[in-house]
Every structure is written in C-alpha cells, then in structure tokens.
Coordinates of all heavy atoms in Angstrom, one line a residue:
M275 N 21.7 31.3 -29.4 CA 20.7 30.6 -28.6 C 21.0 29.2 -28.5 O 21.2 28.5 -29.5 CB 19.3 30.9 -29.2 CG 18.1 30.2 -28.6 SD 17.7 30.9 -27.0 CE 16.4 32.1 -27.6
M276 N 20.9 28.6 -27.3 CA 21.1 27.2 -27.1 C 19.9 26.4 -27.7 O 18.8 26.9 -27.7 CB 21.2 26.8 -25.6 CG 22.5 27.1 -25.0 SD 22.4 26.8 -23.3 CE 23.6 25.5 -23.1
S277 N 20.1 25.2 -28.1 CA 19.0 24.3 -28.5 C 18.4 23.6 -27.3 O 19.1 23.6 -26.2 CB 19.5 23.3 -29.5 OG 20.4 22.4 -28.8
C278 N 17.2 23.1 -27.4 CA 16.6 22.4 -26.3 C 17.5 21.2 -25.9 O 17.5 20.9 -24.7 CB 15.2 21.9 -26.7 SG 14.0 23.3 -27.0
R279 N 18.1 20.6 -26.9 CA 18.9 19.4 -26.6 C 20.1 19.8 -25.6 O 20.4 19.1 -24.7 CB 19.4 18.8 -27.9 CG 20.1 17.5 -27.7 CD 20.6 17.0 -29.1 NE 19.4 16.8 -30.0 CZ 19.3 15.7 -30.6 NH1 20.1 14.7 -30.5 NH2 18.2 15.5 -31.4
E280 N 20.7 20.9 -26.0 CA 21.8 21.4 -25.1 C 21.3 21.8 -23.7 O 22.0 21.5 -22.7 CB 22.4 22.6 -25.8 CG 23.3 22.3 -27.0 CD 23.8 23.6 -27.7 OE1 22.9 24.4 -28.1 OE2 25.0 23.8 -27.8
V281 N 20.2 22.4 -23.7 CA 19.7 22.8 -22.3 C 19.4 21.5 -21.5 O 19.7 21.4 -20.3 CB 18.4 23.6 -22.5 CG1 17.7 23.8 -21.1 CG2 18.7 25.0 -23.1
C282 N 18.7 20.5 -22.2 CA 18.4 19.3 -21.5 C 19.7 18.6 -21.0 O 19.8 18.1 -19.9 CB 17.7 18.3 -22.4 SG 16.0 18.8 -22.6
A283 N 20.8 18.6 -21.8 CA 22.0 17.9 -21.4 C 22.6 18.6 -20.2 O 23.3 18.0 -19.5 CB 23.0 18.0 -22.6
Q284 N 22.4 19.9 -20.0 CA 23.0 20.6 -18.9 C 22.1 20.9 -17.8 O 22.4 21.6 -16.8 CB 23.7 21.9 -19.5 CG 24.8 21.7 -20.4 CD 25.4 22.9 -21.0 OE1 25.6 23.9 -20.2 NE2 25.6 23.0 -22.3
A285 N 20.8 20.4 -17.9 CA 19.8 20.8 -16.9 C 20.2 20.4 -15.5 O 20.0 21.1 -14.5 CB 18.5 20.1 -17.3
Q286 N 20.8 19.2 -15.4 CA 21.2 18.7 -14.1 C 22.2 19.6 -13.4 O 22.0 20.0 -12.2 CB 21.7 17.2 -14.2 CG 22.0 16.6 -12.9 CD 20.7 16.3 -12.1 OE1 19.9 15.5 -12.6 NE2 20.5 16.9 -10.9
D287 N 23.3 20.0 -14.2 CA 24.2 20.9 -13.6 C 23.6 22.2 -13.3 O 23.9 22.8 -12.2 CB 25.4 21.1 -14.7 CG 26.4 20.0 -14.7 OD1 26.3 19.1 -13.8 OD2 27.2 20.0 -15.6
Y288 N 22.8 22.7 -14.1 CA 22.1 24.0 -13.9 C 21.3 23.9 -12.6 O 21.4 24.8 -11.7 CB 21.2 24.4 -15.1 CG 20.5 25.7 -14.9 CD1 21.2 26.9 -15.2 CD2 19.2 25.7 -14.4 CE1 20.6 28.1 -15.0 CE2 18.6 27.0 -14.2 CZ 19.3 28.1 -14.5 OH 18.6 29.3 -14.3
A289 N 20.5 22.8 -12.4 CA 19.6 22.7 -11.3 C 20.5 22.5 -10.0 O 20.0 23.0 -8.9 CB 18.7 21.5 -11.5
D290 N 21.6 21.9 -10.1 CA 22.5 21.7 -8.9 C 23.3 23.0 -8.6 O 24.1 23.0 -7.7 CB 23.4 20.6 -9.2 CG 22.7 19.2 -9.1 OD1 21.5 19.2 -8.6 OD2 23.2 18.2 -9.6
G291 N 23.3 24.0 -9.5 CA 24.0 25.2 -9.3 C 25.5 25.1 -9.8 O 26.3 25.9 -9.5
H292 N 25.7 24.0 -10.7 CA 27.0 23.9 -11.3 C 27.0 24.5 -12.6 O 26.1 25.1 -13.1 CB 27.4 22.4 -11.3 CG 27.4 21.7 -10.0 ND1 28.0 22.3 -8.9 CD2 26.9 20.5 -9.6 CE1 27.9 21.5 -7.9 NE2 27.2 20.4 -8.3
G293 N 28.1 24.3 -13.4 CA 28.2 24.8 -14.7 C 28.8 26.2 -14.7 O 28.8 26.9 -13.7
S294 N 29.3 26.6 -15.9 CA 30.0 27.9 -16.0 C 28.9 29.0 -16.0 O 27.7 28.8 -16.3 CB 30.8 28.0 -17.3 OG 29.9 28.0 -18.4
N295 N 29.3 30.2 -15.6 CA 28.4 31.3 -15.6 C 27.8 31.5 -17.0 O 26.6 31.8 -17.2 CB 29.0 32.6 -15.2 CG 29.1 32.7 -13.7 OD1 28.4 32.0 -12.9 ND2 30.0 33.5 -13.1
A296 N 28.7 31.4 -18.0 CA 28.2 31.6 -19.4 C 27.1 30.7 -19.8 O 26.1 31.1 -20.4 CB 29.4 31.5 -20.4
S297 N 27.3 29.4 -19.4 CA 26.2 28.5 -19.8 C 25.0 28.6 -19.0 O 23.9 28.4 -19.5 CB 26.8 27.0 -19.8 OG 27.0 26.6 -18.5
R298 N 25.1 29.0 -17.8 CA 23.9 29.3 -16.9 C 23.2 30.5 -17.5 O 21.9 30.4 -17.5 CB 24.4 29.6 -15.5 CG 25.0 28.4 -14.8 CD 25.5 28.7 -13.4 NE 24.3 29.0 -12.5 CZ 23.5 28.1 -12.0 NH1 23.7 26.8 -12.3 NH2 22.5 28.5 -11.3
V299 N 23.8 31.5 -17.9 CA 23.1 32.6 -18.5 C 22.4 32.2 -19.8 O 21.3 32.6 -20.0 CB 24.1 33.8 -18.8 CG1 23.5 34.9 -19.7 CG2 24.6 34.4 -17.5
K300 N 23.1 31.4 -20.6 CA 22.5 30.9 -21.8 C 21.2 30.1 -21.6 O 20.2 30.2 -22.3 CB 23.5 30.1 -22.7 CG 24.5 30.9 -23.4 CD 25.3 30.0 -24.3 CE 26.7 30.6 -24.5 NZ 27.7 29.6 -25.1
I301 N 21.3 29.2 -20.6 CA 20.2 28.4 -20.2 C 19.0 29.3 -19.8 O 17.9 29.1 -20.2 CB 20.6 27.3 -19.1 CG1 21.5 26.3 -19.7 CG2 19.3 26.7 -18.6 CD1 22.1 25.3 -18.7
R302 N 19.3 30.2 -18.9 CA 18.3 31.1 -18.4 C 17.6 31.9 -19.6 O 16.4 32.0 -19.6 CB 18.9 32.1 -17.4 CG 18.0 32.4 -16.2 CD 18.8 33.2 -15.1 NE 19.8 32.4 -14.5 CZ 20.8 32.9 -13.8 NH1 20.9 34.2 -13.6 NH2 21.7 32.1 -13.3
L303 N 18.4 32.3 -20.5 CA 17.9 33.0 -21.7 C 17.0 32.2 -22.5 O 15.9 32.5 -22.8 CB 19.1 33.5 -22.5 CG 18.8 34.6 -23.6 CD1 18.4 35.9 -22.9 CD2 20.0 34.8 -24.5
H304 N 17.4 30.9 -22.7 CA 16.6 30.0 -23.4 C 15.3 29.8 -22.7 O 14.3 29.7 -23.4 CB 17.4 28.6 -23.6 CG 16.7 27.6 -24.4 ND1 16.9 27.3 -25.7 CD2 15.7 26.8 -24.0 CE1 16.1 26.3 -26.0 NE2 15.3 26.0 -25.0
M305 N 15.3 29.6 -21.4 CA 14.1 29.3 -20.7 C 13.1 30.5 -20.7 O 11.9 30.3 -20.5 CB 14.5 29.0 -19.2 CG 15.1 27.7 -19.1 SD 15.1 27.0 -17.4 CE 15.9 28.2 -16.5
L306 N 13.6 31.7 -21.0 CA 12.7 32.8 -21.2 C 11.7 32.6 -22.3 O 10.6 33.1 -22.4 CB 13.4 34.1 -21.4 CG 14.2 34.7 -20.2 CD1 14.9 36.0 -20.7 CD2 13.2 35.1 -19.1
F307 N 12.3 31.8 -23.3 CA 11.5 31.6 -24.6 C 10.9 30.2 -24.7 O 10.1 30.0 -25.6 CB 12.3 31.9 -25.8 CG 12.9 33.3 -25.8 CD1 14.2 33.6 -25.4 CD2 12.1 34.4 -26.2 CE1 14.6 34.9 -25.4 CE2 12.5 35.7 -26.2 CZ 13.8 35.9 -25.8
C308 N 11.3 29.3 -23.9 CA 11.0 27.9 -24.1 C 10.3 27.3 -22.8 O 11.0 27.1 -21.8 CB 12.2 27.1 -24.4 SG 11.8 25.4 -24.8
R309 N 9.0 27.2 -22.9 CA 8.3 26.6 -21.7 C 8.7 25.2 -21.4 O 8.8 24.8 -20.3 CB 6.8 26.8 -21.9 CG 6.0 26.6 -20.7 CD 4.5 26.7 -20.9 NE 4.2 28.1 -21.3 CZ 2.9 28.4 -21.6 NH1 1.9 27.5 -21.5 NH2 2.6 29.6 -22.0
N310 N 9.0 24.4 -22.5 CA 9.3 23.0 -22.3 C 10.6 22.9 -21.4 O 10.6 22.1 -20.5 CB 9.5 22.3 -23.7 CG 8.3 22.1 -24.4 OD1 7.2 22.1 -23.8 ND2 8.3 22.0 -25.7
C311 N 11.6 23.6 -21.8 CA 12.8 23.5 -21.0 C 12.7 24.1 -19.6 O 13.3 23.6 -18.7 CB 14.0 24.3 -21.8 SG 14.5 23.3 -23.2
T312 N 11.8 25.1 -19.4 CA 11.6 25.6 -18.1 C 11.0 24.5 -17.2 O 11.5 24.3 -16.1 CB 10.6 26.8 -18.2 OG1 11.2 27.8 -19.1 CG2 10.4 27.4 -16.8
S313 N 10.0 23.8 -17.7 CA 9.5 22.8 -16.9 C 10.4 21.6 -16.7 O 10.4 20.9 -15.7 CB 8.1 22.3 -17.4 OG 8.2 21.7 -18.7
F314 N 11.2 21.3 -17.7 CA 12.2 20.2 -17.6 C 13.2 20.5 -16.5 O 13.5 19.7 -15.7 CB 12.9 20.0 -19.0 CG 13.9 18.8 -18.9 CD1 13.4 17.5 -19.0 CD2 15.2 19.1 -18.8 CE1 14.3 16.5 -18.9 CE2 16.1 18.0 -18.7 CZ 15.7 16.7 -18.8
V315 N 13.7 21.8 -16.5 CA 14.7 22.2 -15.5 C 14.0 22.2 -14.1 O 14.6 21.7 -13.2 CB 15.3 23.5 -15.8 CG1 16.1 24.1 -14.7 CG2 16.2 23.4 -17.1
D316 N 12.8 22.6 -14.0 CA 12.1 22.6 -12.8 C 12.0 21.2 -12.2 O 12.2 20.9 -11.1 CB 10.6 23.2 -12.9 CG 10.6 24.7 -12.8 OD1 11.7 25.2 -12.4 OD2 9.6 25.2 -13.1
Q317 N 11.6 20.2 -13.1 CA 11.5 18.8 -12.7 C 12.8 18.3 -12.3 O 12.9 17.5 -11.3 CB 10.9 18.0 -13.9 CG 9.4 18.3 -14.1 CD 8.9 17.4 -15.2 OE1 9.5 16.5 -15.6 NE2 7.7 17.7 -15.6
T318 N 13.8 18.6 -13.0 CA 15.2 18.1 -12.7 C 15.5 18.6 -11.3 O 16.1 17.9 -10.5 CB 16.2 18.6 -13.7 OG1 15.8 18.1 -15.0 CG2 17.6 18.1 -13.4
R319 N 15.3 19.9 -11.0 CA 15.6 20.5 -9.7 C 14.8 19.8 -8.6 O 15.3 19.4 -7.6 CB 15.2 22.0 -9.8 CG 15.7 22.7 -8.5 CD 15.3 24.2 -8.6 NE 16.1 24.9 -9.6 CZ 15.7 25.8 -10.5 NH1 14.4 26.1 -10.5 NH2 16.5 26.4 -11.3
Q320 N 13.5 19.6 -8.9 CA 12.6 18.9 -7.8 C 13.1 17.5 -7.6 O 13.1 17.0 -6.4 CB 11.2 18.9 -8.3 CG 10.6 20.3 -8.1 CD 9.2 20.4 -8.8 OE1 8.5 19.4 -8.9 NE2 8.8 21.5 -9.3
T321 N 13.5 16.8 -8.6 CA 13.9 15.4 -8.5 C 15.2 15.4 -7.6 O 15.4 14.6 -6.7 CB 14.2 14.8 -9.8 OG1 13.1 14.9 -10.6 CG2 14.6 13.3 -9.7
G322 N 16.1 16.4 -7.8 CA 17.3 16.5 -7.0 C 17.0 16.8 -5.5 O 17.6 16.2 -4.6
Q323 N 16.0 17.6 -5.3 CA 15.5 17.9 -4.0 C 15.0 16.7 -3.3 O 15.2 16.4 -2.1 CB 14.5 19.1 -4.0 CG 15.2 20.4 -4.2 CD 14.1 21.5 -4.4 OE1 12.9 21.2 -4.5 NE2 14.6 22.7 -4.5
L324 N 14.2 15.9 -4.1 CA 13.7 14.6 -3.5 C 14.8 13.7 -3.1 O 14.7 13.1 -2.1 CB 12.8 14.0 -4.6 CG 11.4 14.4 -4.8 CD1 10.8 13.6 -5.9 CD2 10.6 14.2 -3.5
A325 N 15.8 13.7 -3.9 CA 16.9 12.8 -3.6 C 17.5 13.2 -2.2 O 17.8 12.4 -1.4 CB 18.0 12.9 -4.7
R326 N 17.6 14.5 -2.1 CA 18.2 15.0 -0.8 C 17.3 14.8 0.4 O 17.7 14.7 1.5 CB 18.6 16.5 -0.9 CG 19.9 16.7 -1.7 CD 20.3 18.1 -1.7 NE 19.6 18.9 -2.7 CZ 19.9 19.0 -4.0 NH1 20.9 18.4 -4.5 NH2 19.2 19.8 -4.8
Q327 N 15.9 14.8 0.1 CA 15.0 14.7 1.2 C 14.6 13.3 1.4 O 13.7 13.0 2.3 CB 13.7 15.5 0.8 CG 13.9 17.0 0.8 CD 12.6 17.7 0.2 OE1 11.7 17.1 -0.2 NE2 12.7 19.0 0.2
S328 N 15.1 12.3 0.7 CA 14.6 11.0 0.7 C 14.6 10.4 2.1 O 13.9 9.5 2.4 CB 15.4 10.1 -0.2 OG 16.8 10.1 0.2
L329 N 15.5 10.9 3.0 CA 15.6 10.3 4.4 C 14.7 11.1 5.3 O 14.5 10.7 6.5 CB 17.0 10.3 4.9 CG 18.0 9.4 4.1 CD1 19.4 9.5 4.6 CD2 17.5 7.9 4.2
N330 N 14.1 12.2 4.8 CA 13.3 13.0 5.7 C 11.8 12.5 5.6 O 11.1 13.0 4.8 CB 13.4 14.4 5.3 CG 12.6 15.4 6.2 OD1 12.0 14.9 7.2 ND2 12.6 16.6 5.9
K331 N 11.5 11.6 6.5 CA 10.1 11.0 6.5 C 9.0 12.0 6.9 O 7.9 11.8 6.6 CB 10.1 9.8 7.4 CG 11.1 8.7 7.1 CD 10.4 7.6 6.4 CE 11.2 6.4 6.2 NZ 12.6 6.5 5.9
N332 N 9.4 13.1 7.6 CA 8.4 14.1 8.0 C 8.2 15.1 7.0 O 7.4 16.0 7.2 CB 8.9 14.7 9.3 CG 9.0 13.7 10.4 OD1 8.2 12.8 10.5 ND2 10.0 13.9 11.3
S333 N 8.8 15.0 5.8 CA 8.6 16.0 4.8 C 7.1 16.1 4.4 O 6.5 15.1 4.1 CB 9.5 15.7 3.6 OG 9.1 16.5 2.5
D334 N 6.6 17.3 4.3 CA 5.2 17.4 4.0 C 5.1 18.0 2.5 O 4.1 18.5 2.1 CB 4.4 18.4 5.0 CG 5.1 19.7 5.0 OD1 6.1 20.0 4.4 OD2 4.6 20.5 5.8
T335 N 6.2 17.8 1.8 CA 6.2 18.3 0.4 C 5.2 17.4 -0.4 O 5.2 16.2 -0.3 CB 7.6 18.1 -0.2 OG1 8.5 18.7 0.7 CG2 7.7 18.8 -1.6
V336 N 4.4 18.1 -1.2 CA 3.4 17.4 -2.0 C 4.2 17.0 -3.3 O 4.7 17.8 -4.0 CB 2.2 18.3 -2.4 CG1 1.3 17.5 -3.4 CG2 1.5 18.7 -1.2
V337 N 4.2 15.7 -3.5 CA 5.1 15.1 -4.6 C 4.2 14.7 -5.7 O 3.2 13.9 -5.5 CB 5.9 13.9 -4.1 CG1 6.7 13.4 -5.2 CG2 6.8 14.4 -2.9
D338 N 4.5 15.1 -6.9 CA 3.8 14.7 -8.1 C 4.1 13.2 -8.3 O 5.3 12.8 -8.4 CB 4.4 15.5 -9.3 CG 3.7 15.3 -10.6 OD1 3.2 14.1 -10.8 OD2 3.6 16.1 -11.4
P339 N 3.1 12.4 -8.4 CA 3.4 10.9 -8.6 C 4.3 10.6 -9.8 O 5.1 9.7 -9.8 CB 2.0 10.3 -8.9 CG 1.1 11.3 -8.4 CD 1.7 12.7 -8.4
K340 N 4.2 11.4 -10.9 CA 5.1 11.2 -12.0 C 6.5 11.4 -11.7 O 7.4 10.7 -12.1 CB 4.7 12.2 -13.2 CG 3.7 11.5 -14.1 CD 3.6 12.4 -15.4 CE 2.9 13.7 -15.1 NZ 2.7 14.5 -16.2
L341 N 6.8 12.5 -10.9 CA 8.1 12.8 -10.5 C 8.6 11.7 -9.5 O 9.8 11.3 -9.6 CB 8.1 14.2 -9.7 CG 8.3 15.4 -10.4 CD1 8.2 16.6 -9.5 CD2 9.7 15.3 -11.1
M342 N 7.8 11.2 -8.7 CA 8.1 10.2 -7.7 C 8.6 8.9 -8.5 O 9.6 8.3 -8.2 CB 6.9 9.9 -6.8 CG 7.3 9.3 -5.5 SD 8.4 10.4 -4.6 CE 9.3 9.1 -3.6
A343 N 7.8 8.6 -9.5 CA 8.2 7.5 -10.4 C 9.5 7.7 -11.0 O 10.4 6.7 -11.1 CB 7.1 7.2 -11.4
E344 N 9.8 8.9 -11.5 CA 11.0 9.2 -12.2 C 12.2 9.1 -11.1 O 13.2 8.5 -11.4 CB 10.9 10.6 -12.7 CG 12.2 11.1 -13.5 CD 12.4 10.3 -14.7 OE1 11.5 9.7 -15.3 OE2 13.6 10.2 -15.1
F345 N 11.9 9.6 -9.9 CA 12.9 9.5 -8.9 C 13.3 8.1 -8.5 O 14.4 7.7 -8.4 CB 12.4 10.3 -7.7 CG 13.3 10.1 -6.4 CD1 14.6 10.5 -6.5 CD2 12.8 9.5 -5.3 CE1 15.4 10.4 -5.4 CE2 13.5 9.4 -4.2 CZ 14.9 9.8 -4.2
K346 N 12.2 7.3 -8.4 CA 12.5 5.8 -8.1 C 13.3 5.2 -9.2 O 14.2 4.4 -8.9 CB 11.2 5.1 -8.0 CG 10.5 5.3 -6.6 CD 9.3 4.5 -6.4 CE 8.6 4.8 -5.1 NZ 7.1 4.6 -5.2
K347 N 13.0 5.5 -10.5 CA 13.7 4.9 -11.6 C 15.2 5.3 -11.5 O 16.0 4.5 -11.6 CB 13.2 5.5 -12.9 CG 12.4 4.5 -13.7 CD 12.2 5.0 -15.1 CE 11.2 6.1 -15.2 NZ 11.1 6.8 -16.5
R348 N 15.5 6.6 -11.1 CA 16.9 7.0 -11.1 C 17.6 6.4 -9.9 O 18.8 6.3 -9.9 CB 16.9 8.5 -11.0 CG 16.5 9.2 -12.3 CD 16.6 10.7 -12.2 NE 15.9 11.3 -13.3 CZ 16.2 12.6 -13.7 NH1 17.1 13.3 -13.1 NH2 15.5 13.1 -14.7
S349 N 16.8 6.2 -8.8 CA 17.5 5.7 -7.6 C 17.8 4.2 -7.5 O 18.4 3.7 -6.6 CB 16.7 6.2 -6.3 OG 15.5 5.6 -6.4
E350 N 17.2 3.5 -8.5 CA 17.4 2.1 -8.6 C 18.8 1.7 -9.1 O 19.3 2.4 -9.9 CB 16.3 1.4 -9.4 CG 15.1 1.1 -8.5 CD 13.9 0.7 -9.4 OE1 14.1 0.5 -10.6 OE2 12.8 0.8 -8.9
Ligands
ZN54 ZN1 14.0 24.5 -25.0

C-alpha cells in the first residue's frame, strides 16, 4: 500500500493521466481507503483543468475560492 506522501507526490501525474499503470493502480487502490488523498487528487485535477480553462472567459464552471487562490499561487 502506498503512503499518503507517495500519493501526494504523484497526484499531479495521476491527475494528468501520466505515470505508469502500476503506480496508477496503486494510487487508485490507496484512494479507495483514504478520503484525504481522494480529495487531494480531485483538487489537483480541478486545478489542472482551471489552468487549461484560464483563457475561456465564458466558462460557467463554479470555482471554489480556495482552489482559485491555489491556482493563482501556482500561476504566479
Ligand atoms: Zn492517503
């Protein structure tokens, strides 16, 4: 079983669809048991989507202000 730290370290790759199949399976398995990592990976994925949507002014996606702050921090 992966540790939370390992999952966090690979969350970005996982969210982007990168990483080996073996590590993706391990992350998925870990997330079955760990709510913290599930929400961390979700947030990482959403932040990545925000980055891709940043030029789309017509986006009607409801954005969590906390995520938006995190996104701004990363994009600076
Ligand atoms: Zn975890």
Side-chain angles (χ1 to χ4, degrees):
M275 176 74 94
M276 281 175 120
S277 68
C278 292
R279 192 181 294 234
E280 287 174 300
V281 172
C282 287
Q284 294 179 45
Q286 186 69 61
D287 278 351
Y288 181 83
D290 289 344
H292 302 313
S294 69
N295 280 340
S297 67
R298 295 177 64 77
V299 167
K300 282 187 211 165
I301 289 171
R302 220 170 291 162
L303 194 66
H304 180 102
M305 288 199 299
L306 286 177
F307 299 99
C308 184
R309 197 180 292 183
N310 288 339
C311 287
T312 304
S313 64
F314 182 79
V315 169
D316 274 353
Q317 284 181 14
T318 303
R319 188 180 287 136
Q320 285 170 28
T321 307
Q323 283 170 355
L324 277 181
R326 284 186 281 275
Q327 289 170 0
S328 62
L329 294 177
N330 182 3
K331 300 257 192 318
N332 295 323
S333 170
D334 57 359
T335 310
V336 178
V337 178
D338 184 332
K340 265 192 293 180
L341 269 177
M342 203 60 207
E344 182 65 25
F345 171 61
K346 280 185 185 153
K347 252 192 290 173
R348 290 185 194 201
S349 61
E350 272 166 14

